[in-house]
Amino acid sequence: MLEEKVLISNRRNSYEETDFLDPFWQKMLISIANKYDGVSVSFFGAFNNAERCVGVIYNDYLPVPIEDEYMSVLAFDSKFDDVKHKDVLGKLMSMGIERETVGDIIFYKDACFFSVKKSVESFLLSQFQDIRRHSVSLYSVDGEGLKVVESEKTTEVIIAASLRADLLVAKIYNIKRNIATSMISKGLMKLDYRVFTRGDRQIELPALISLRGYGRVYVDEVVGRTGSDNLKVKLRREVYS
């Protein structure tokens, strides 16, 4: 699909946009585009260090695309303790919005911001009126003013016997090892955005680990060892609200 868009852009001298892509697919798109002379890709995600971005493919001699033409940032004031990242995403999905048309969802200074494809902006502005029984008023935000917005993360150090996947996941999420092993084998873990099913494999750092229902954690590095030769592992957890 991505290669087809690159081919169309190259043959028709046109701008071709993708859905929101995670960093893995962003790298894939760059790799594909680099195979063709004179083809460039711009990524738009609205927020500082945005994770999910829309890619726009175009020939070098064309003007650089403008972010506002391909995506919008919507927001609602949120001082509700029970509204989380998963609630916003769930609400959007329940409205028939496809995941690929939604970018990052960030809570920042008593408001929730999320990026979407331009094609669904009008529908959401008129139909997104409540969340978890709270009435909300959705509004559009100038994307340029959000470059300083970034998801919050807490930093901590955990003690782990090794970087073996099942052992590390059990420690990160404070669950029993047999539960971690079972969830990994069922495909409920992702490593750097890809499904990971080998609990006996060593994890190479840095890495982004997510476990369904438990959230995502950035595992940065081993910062030392304990007296009993266990590893001290530095990680960052995302704060969703």
Side-chain angles (χ1 to χ4, degrees), residues 4-59:
E4 181 180 355
K5 287 183 176 293
V6 173
L7 285 170
I8 291 173
S9 175
N10 192 40
R11 289 172 179 172
R12 299 179 180 176
N13 300 322
S14 61
Y15 295 96
E16 296 294 325
E17 66 179 291
T18 70
D19 290 328
F20 280 96
L21 305 174
D22 66 33
F24 175 87
W25 288 109
Q26 291 171 36
K27 291 179 181 178
M28 289 293 293
L29 178 56
I30 292 172
S31 177
I32 295 169
N34 285 342
K35 295 189 296 185
Y36 299 86
D37 291 336
V39 174
S40 293
V41 180
S42 290
F43 290 105
F44 301 124
F47 308 110
N48 184 34
N49 296 324
E51 178 179 290
R52 294 173 59 82
C53 296
V54 171
V56 181
I57 308 150
Y58 60 101
N59 282 298

Side-chain angles (χ1 to χ4, degrees), residues 16 103 109 239:
E16 296 294 325
K109 292 186 177 179
V239 179

Side-chain angles (χ1 to χ4, degrees), residues 60-72:
D60 288 344
Y61 59 81
L62 293 174
V64 175
I66 300 172
E67 182 173 68
D68 291 348
E69 295 179 358
Y70 298 96
M71 55 166 294
S72 301

Side-chain angles (χ1 to χ4, degrees), residues 19-20 70-72 74 92 95-103 114-128 138:
D19 290 328
F20 280 96
Y70 298 96
M71 55 166 294
S72 301
L74 305 180
L92 293 168
M95 297 175 68
I97 302 298
E98 296 182 353
R99 182 66 180 101
E100 292 76 14
T101 64
V102 181
F114 56 93
S115 53
V116 296
K117 295 289 292 289
K118 203 73 176 178
S119 58
V120 300
E121 177 185 20
S122 296
F123 171 75
L124 288 173
L125 285 172
S126 64
Q127 300 298 319
F128 194 114
L138 200 66

Side-chain angles (χ1 to χ4, degrees), residues 98-178:
E98 296 182 353
R99 182 66 180 101
E100 292 76 14
T101 64
V102 181
D104 290 2
I105 300 171
I106 295 178
F107 288 83
Y108 182 76
K109 292 186 177 179
D110 293 328
C112 175
F113 302 87
F114 56 93
S115 53
V116 296
K117 295 289 292 289
K118 203 73 176 178
S119 58
V120 300
E121 177 185 20
S122 296
F123 171 75
L124 288 173
L125 285 172
S126 64
Q127 300 298 319
F128 194 114
Q129 300 176 345
D130 61 85
I131 187 167
R132 287 190 64 86
R133 300 180 299 279
H134 301 293
S135 295
V136 296
S137 179
L138 200 66
Y139 55 92
S140 183
V141 181
D142 177 10
E144 284 302 311
L146 292 175
K147 295 304 181 185
V148 299
V149 175
E150 187 174 1
S151 60
E152 296 181 42
K153 300 178 182 68
T154 61
T155 302
E156 62 186 271
V157 174
I158 63 168
I159 306 301
S162 77
L163 296 180
R164 178 174 156 140
D166 52 1
L167 292 173
L168 191 58
V169 166
K171 284 292 184 179
I172 288 173
Y173 296 105
N174 194 27
I175 58 178
K176 294 181 178 180
R177 182 180 171 186
N178 65 321

